Amino acid sequence: MDPLLELKHVSYAYHTKSGETYALTDISFQVQRGEFLAIVGPSGCGKSTLLSLISGLILPEDGTILRSGMPGASPHSSIGYMLQKDHLFDWRTVYRNVTLGLEIRHELNKRTRLHVDQMLKDYDLYRFRNAVPSELSGGMRQRAALIRTLALDPELLLLDEPFSALDFQTRLSVCDDIYAILRKEKKTAILVTHDLSEAVSMADRILVLSQRPARIREVIRVSFAREGLSPFARRNEPEFKDYFNQIWAALNPVSPGKEPA
Amino acid sequence: MSIEKFVPVSASQAAYLKRLKHRQYRIAGIRLLIFAVFLLLWETAVQRSWIDGFIFSSPSRIWNTFSAMWTDGSIFTHAGITVLETLISFAFVVVLGTSSAILLWCSDSLSEILEPYLVVLNSLPKSALAPLLIVWLGANSKSIIVAGMSVAIFGTILNLYTGFCAVDPDKIRLIYTLGGTQKDVLGKVILPGTVPLLLSVMKVNIGLCLVGVIIGEFIGARQGLGYLIIYGSQVFKLDWVIMSIALLCIIAILLYGAIGFAEKQCLKKR
């Protein structure tokens, strides 16, 4: 079976009047169904560009992106994208916010409404469906944003630092929430983050990118002796700090000689 | 306000609210007092012949003029025509201004091409156009309505367009990630997101339309408060002039208040 997503030698540059900026060079990797992939790298290295390419918002200058073995149309309907901030619209109720995607795609029907209602109930937002977003806490807003994405039933979820706007405490609990929801809904996900512990606590595999123009510096497979741990529980396991150090070393090579090929 | 909610209030909170209320009363009282003192001084100054009532008029003369014109009904014609022309030109400004701003937003090239023209037209003193309009369109309501529009329309387009462009690009990106098109961006983000801006721009515009209409009436009208002011000054009936100005103050307040009320209702619903 083809991987859900495959990138082959993808490169991208931004063009401005003052010159071009190479954001990504020769990026190749695959994502299997059900996998949780994290992408870490120094800030401004082109991580978000990578997600925009995968989602089809922008097209690669070089290389190919295959979705389930097929070159995809843009923007691809089977890909859900969660941005850094929740961007819930204040002029809509929570319910009308989470159904925004369905409304745009003209897929708002009895079946999808039932699906949305069920998710709102499962994730403890049903009581607030007629509230306005400003009445929700940060964690609830993030869950609502996730439901908005999941309502379109995407195969692949792109998470662009979805917790970075939250304070640390909320962040840990929302991270657990979102992870549990993604596992329950059996979604494949790609998480972009600059927070190394977040990557280790959630991912099955971690892609370490270099400074801009980003290349893949290292791919680290993450497996814990105890399986099925929540992100928070992972933080207390002995392997956690080993992975953390491994990524840290990959991001900060001491000398060029030590840099992994 | 949440003060109205029935909850037990601590003594210090109650004291604070009381102070707040007293302050509001005091401010309202002083405002009224200033107005009353002004009227009284004006009236006394004329009565005692400190100033010439023929030139400066007086509150009582204004009142007499007003009641005379009320009885013969001419005040309704003049004020009515001015208000009507203002409302019509305001309606055109709302529709044309908003749709032009949308067009500019839709096409980056168009907005770049037209920008210098809009800036020049916006900074041009529109009263300079009024004589031209009268010649082109004739001395009728048509040119007065166009004069009213001309004062407000370019500022409206520029303000709304700037507001549209200031919408968070990530919100627009969200629509695209959900599979939307430019039409969805406009309908789901730009327009609903800029309703408060639209309302505040309109609140200013209704006043500007009134300015334009008065300018138009100065030059080419046989009716309306602008006409009454010009005619009154030419025949030295300054009671007419000052009464018309007083009426214009009241009309301006009412129009502004009406839009402000609509704004409050609209924002409360959201």
Side-chain angles (χ1 to χ4, degrees), chain A residues 48 52 57 75-76 79 81 83 85-92 100-101 103-105 132 148-149 152 160, chain B residues 168-181 183-185 187-194 270:
Chain A
S48 299
S52 296
L57 285 177
H76 207 264
I79 294 177
Y81 199 143
L83 302 163
K85 281 192 257 161
D86 53 64
H87 292 301
L88 297 174
F89 296 158
D90 277 330
W91 54 87
R92 285 170 168 253
L100 179 65
E103 192 183 309
I104 286 172
R105 291 193 191 174
V132 290
R148 180 179 61 200
T149 314
L152 297 171
D160 189 356
Chain B
D168 186 349
D170 269 351
K171 286 205 161 65
I172 295 170
R173 206 173 139 90
L174 170 75
I175 299 293
Y176 287 123
T177 66
L178 293 172
T181 57
K183 205 181 94 211
D184 294 309
V185 173
K188 314 263 187 246
V189 182
I190 303 286
L191 292 181
T194 48
R270 288 146 65 86

Side-chain angles (χ1 to χ4, degrees), chain A:
Chain A
M1 201 171 168
D2 288 313
L4 185 59
L5 177 77
E6 184 171 14
L7 274 76
K8 288 181 179 168
H9 310 292
V10 169
S11 298
Y12 191 82
Y14 287 102
H15 298 277
T16 59
K17 219 187 210 169
S18 51
E20 56 182 348
T21 314
Y22 292 95
L24 300 165
T25 31
D26 196 22
I27 303 283
S28 301
F29 65 90
Q30 297 183 346
V31 181
Q32 305 297 333
R33 265 161 237 280
E35 195 180 13
F36 199 121
L37 179 78
I39 299 175
V40 298
S43 54
C45 78
K47 300 186 293 273
S48 299
T49 310
L50 193 53
L51 289 192
S52 296
L53 283 165
I54 294 170
S55 71
L57 285 177
I58 53 177
L59 296 174
E61 296 207 312
D62 246 322
T64 43
I65 298 175
L66 302 176
R67 301 174 185 98
S68 305
M70 306 275 286
S74 66
H76 207 264
S77 60
S78 64
I79 294 177
Y81 199 143
M82 238 177 117
L83 302 163
Q84 281 185 22
K85 281 192 257 161
D86 53 64
H87 292 301
L88 297 174
F89 296 158
D90 277 330
W91 54 87
R92 285 170 168 253
T93 61
V94 170
Y95 188 80
R96 291 195 60 228
N97 263 295
V98 296
T99 54
L100 179 65
L102 293 168
E103 192 183 309
I104 286 172
R105 291 193 191 174
H106 307 290
E107 286 171 13
L108 203 52
N109 53 41
K110 212 173 167 188
R111 187 183 59 80
T112 56
R113 275 182 196 279
L114 273 175
H115 183 209
V116 167
D117 282 349
Q118 192 55 50
M119 282 194 289
L120 286 171
K121 280 174 194 157
D122 287 353
Y123 310 128
D124 210 18
L125 283 170
Y126 194 69
R127 286 178 295 144
F128 296 97
R129 64 191 183 284
N130 293 322
V132 290
S134 55
E135 294 173 59
L136 301 187
S137 70
M140 290 160 95
R141 291 179 70 109
Q142 214 59 30
R143 288 207 299 275
L146 181 63
I147 294 174
R148 180 179 61 200
T149 314
L150 292 176
L152 297 171
D153 214 7
E155 278 187 295
L156 173 63
L157 254 141
L158 308 177
L159 309 169
D160 189 356
E161 307 201 13
F163 314 120
S164 59
L166 302 171
D167 63 79
F168 190 65
Q169 230 172 349
T170 319
R171 195 166 172 163
L172 290 178
S173 69
V174 173
C175 186
D176 269 15
D177 280 357
I178 303 277
Y179 184 81
I181 295 170
L182 292 179
R183 285 296 174 203
K184 182 166 173 290
E185 309 279 336
K186 297 192 178 53
K187 296 295 179 194
T188 313
I190 301 178
L191 168 77
V192 155
T193 179
H194 59 250
D195 182 337
L196 305 188
S197 19
E198 201 168 274
V200 179
S201 66
M202 292 180 95
D204 301 322
R205 202 152 56 100
I206 298 172
L207 228 63
V208 182
L209 298 183
S210 67
Q211 294 276 11
R212 204 171 58 209
R215 330 172 149 271
I216 298 179
R217 202 169 244 168
E218 204 170 326
V219 181
I220 297 166
R221 191 163 284 285
V222 181
S223 69
F224 282 75
R226 287 170 59 195
E227 282 182 14
L229 293 172
S230 73
F232 188 75
R234 270 193 182 186
R235 288 175 188 257
N236 295 320
E237 293 298 297
E239 298 100 316
F240 187 84
K241 78 171 189 330
D242 300 335
Y243 283 124
F244 187 95
N245 290 335
Q246 198 181 343
I247 303 173
W248 178 260
L251 277 171
N252 304 287
V254 182
S255 67
K258 274 194 161 182
E259 193 172 3

Side-chain angles (χ1 to χ4, degrees), chain B residues 228-250:
Chain B
L228 207 59
I229 290 170
I230 280 294
Y231 183 69
S233 72
Q234 282 163 354
V235 299
F236 263 75
K237 287 279 267 178
L238 291 158
D239 295 341
W240 286 2
V241 176
I242 296 180
M243 182 208 65
S244 301
I245 293 170
L247 264 184
L248 278 176
C249 284
I250 293 167

